[in-house]
Amino acid sequence: MSKKGSIDVMTGQRLTGLEQKGVSRRDFLKFCTAMAATMGMPLSMADLIAETVGSAKRPPVIWLHFQECTGCTESLLRATHPSIEHLILDLISLDYSETLNAAAGHQVEEVLHNSVKENEGKFILVCEGSVPTNDGGIYCKIGGSTALDIIKDIGPKAAAVVAIGSCASWGGVQSAAPNPTGAKGINQILTDTTIINLPGCPASPYNLLSTILYYLTLKKLPELDAMGRPKFAYGRLVHENCERRPHFDAGRFAEEFGDDGHRQGWCLYKLGCKGPETYANCPIQLYGDVGSNAWPVGTGHPCFGCTEKGVGFTKPIHQQATVFTVTPPATYPDIVEEKTTGGWTIGGAAIAGAAAGAAVTAGIKVAKSLSEQETKDNQTSEKEKS
Ligand code: SF4
């Protein structure tokens, strides 16, 4: 007899909730394969991920909202297919979220403080929004306390802290000059704590899901870059994986919105695209599940660098980006195999990511038709063979 809310990957019985939402067990396993590729794991790790989803003890999660628009939570909840938020909410025990709490007022504040007390050192803290620091932090108060006091109190008691969205990662739009509230990212407040930054405006729900799956599957945090971002998601420039890159290399640029070049899908560099200086997996992971061009550049809008501190909300959209890589380098670094757990390598992340790009695309559309999936799987096989 299946338990409520759990998943049996062997029989499919515990996938009932997903199946009711149009996600078959077969689709689910494909999704796990895509997640393995996203995280730089061998595709064989998909079974372990599926098993983790089915059996992992759901970690308590406290989700705090500070100075922000709630766009990250809303984009997670409003995904066009039901599996992503279903998977995330199935994987965790969401003890407190100001957006999703059914209760309100003193009652819910009590829930928050009880959960922190009972789960000290064990819960995952997800923070959405920046923290205003000017004038004692009075520009954001919840339940009578400033965001500044709340994060200083609760942050150090968490097992892991995830800053979701650009606001929580480095201040976001609130920190744009002249930054009247003194908005800061979580890592500027909790300076002694490792913060996992998942910037984006809004952040990709798939990067949150991958991070949670990574933590639950391997029992450790993913490798982070210098900005505190998981390398598996933010290890490459947008420019490196952009479908318009051949036009950039050939010197074919849209000169203005709506001109012939723009209509023909040429490079958006001259329209201010910040892809050449922005690290994110948007071109591979896509966004919003509304088709193969479901990301800003795919729809004809320049990347504005929302995942990159010092670029998004800082450089004007019309300003052309700094291009780090125009011509291929004369020498190349060695491929280093960095052994971690279970025989897979972080160093393989880029290779796996490139080879499985089509698989990722297929995986994030698990609720869509099987015929679509089959097509993408075939593309994946061909890529992996080559
Ligand atoms: Fe793509 Fe922008 Fe780079 Fe052009 S400049 S190839 S549109 S990321």
Side-chain angles (χ1 to χ4, degrees):
M1 191 83 177
S2 63
K3 288 180 190 169
K4 188 183 175 189
S6 58
I7 298 171
D8 185 336
V9 296
M10 297 306 294
T11 65
Q13 283 183 325
R14 288 192 282 168
L15 285 175
T16 303
L18 286 172
E19 285 174 335
Q20 281 174 343
K21 293 173 184 291
V23 182
S24 69
R25 178 173 175 270
R26 186 165 178 266
D27 287 339
F28 173 68
L29 290 174
K30 284 182 181 179
F31 177 82
C32 293
T33 304
M35 284 290 113
T38 302
M39 294 185 278
M41 299 175 178
L43 302 187
S44 56
M45 291 288 280
D47 285 347
L48 182 59
I49 293 172
E51 198 180 316
T52 301
V53 173
S55 60
K57 191 168 178 289
R58 300 192 309 157
V61 171
I62 291 172
W63 192 305
L64 298 176
H65 291 265
F66 298 133
Q67 196 179 30
E68 42 97 26
C69 68
T70 322
C72 295
T73 292
E74 291 293 340
S75 66
L76 166 69
L77 297 173
R78 306 289 178 257
T80 52
H81 68 70
S83 60
I84 180 75
E85 79 276 20
H86 189 89
L87 273 170
I88 291 175
L89 296 177
D90 250 14
L91 275 172
I92 62 175
S93 169
L94 189 59
D95 286 3
Y96 180 89
S97 158
E98 280 138 22
T99 305
L100 298 175
N101 285 334
H106 295 299
Q107 191 184 19
V108 80
E109 286 303 304
E110 199 179 321
V111 169
L112 169 63
H113 293 293
N114 286 344
S115 178
V116 170
K117 203 169 161 188
E118 285 166 21
N119 299 302
E120 188 162 344
K122 292 182 279 188
F123 67 91
I124 297 174
L125 178 64
V126 180
C127 298
E128 188 175 338
S130 58
V131 178
T133 58
N134 284 354
D135 303 315
I138 57 167
Y139 302 107
C140 180
K141 293 180 98 174
I142 301 129
S145 302
T146 64
L148 189 58
D149 286 341
I150 293 171
I151 190 62
K152 280 182 177 173
D153 174 34
I154 296 178
K157 296 170 184 165
V161 181
V162 177
I164 188 165
S166 300
C167 305
S169 295
W170 44 266
V173 67
Q174 290 78 234
S175 66
N179 192 2
T181 66
K184 290 184 176 176
I186 304 301
N187 60 4
Q188 293 170 282
I189 309 292
L190 302 178
T191 51
D192 294 331
T193 307
T194 301
I195 314 287
I196 303 168
N197 284 333
L198 300 177
C201 189
S204 166
Y206 300 104
N207 290 341
L208 174 63
L209 177 60
S210 304
T211 302
I212 294 172
L213 277 173
Y214 189 106
Y215 182 70
L216 293 179
T217 305
L218 298 177
K219 314 285 185 265
K220 64 176 188 173
L221 301 180
E223 190 182 3
L224 306 177
D225 69 6
M227 308 290 280
R229 303 172 293 195
K231 283 188 175 178
F232 68 73
Y234 299 88
R236 295 285 175 190
L237 289 166
V238 167
H239 192 56
E240 292 179 60
N241 291 309
C242 177
E243 69 252 27
R244 297 184 189 227
R245 179 61 185 267
H247 294 297
F248 177 92
D249 291 338
R252 291 188 290 266
F253 300 101
E255 302 280 344
E256 57 184 63
F257 288 99
D259 69 9
D260 279 351
H262 191 235
R263 287 168 189 270
Q264 290 182 61
W266 288 4
C267 174
L268 304 172
Y269 178 74
K270 290 189 177 178
L271 297 180
C273 181
K274 303 298 187 294
E277 56 183 336
T278 300
Y279 287 86
N281 56 357
C282 308
I284 293 176
Q285 192 77 73
L286 302 182
Y287 203 97
D289 310 340
V290 289
S292 58
N293 62 348
W295 70 294
V297 169
T299 63
H301 194 283
C303 162
F304 80 102
C306 68
T307 61
E308 205 65 39
K309 184 177 183 181
V311 179
F313 310 111
T314 307
K315 280 193 171 182
I317 191 66
H318 60 269
Q319 187 177 332
Q320 291 183 357
T322 304
V323 182
F324 299 133
T325 50
V326 179
T327 53
T331 56
Y332 298 88
D334 292 336
I335 295 173
V336 179
E337 288 217 341
E338 191 179 335
K339 280 280 178 194
T340 52
T341 307
W344 61 277
T345 68
I346 288 281
I351 299 163
V360 171
T361 305
I364 62 176
K365 294 170 183 165
V366 291
K368 294 198 171 177
S369 71
L370 284 179
S371 58
E372 266 187 81
Q373 296 278 20
E374 294 292 355
T375 306
K376 289 177 186 303
D377 283 353
N378 291 339
Q379 290 171 349
T380 304
S381 307
E382 281 169 22
K383 279 194 175 182
E384 283 174 343
K385 277 183 210 157
S386 62

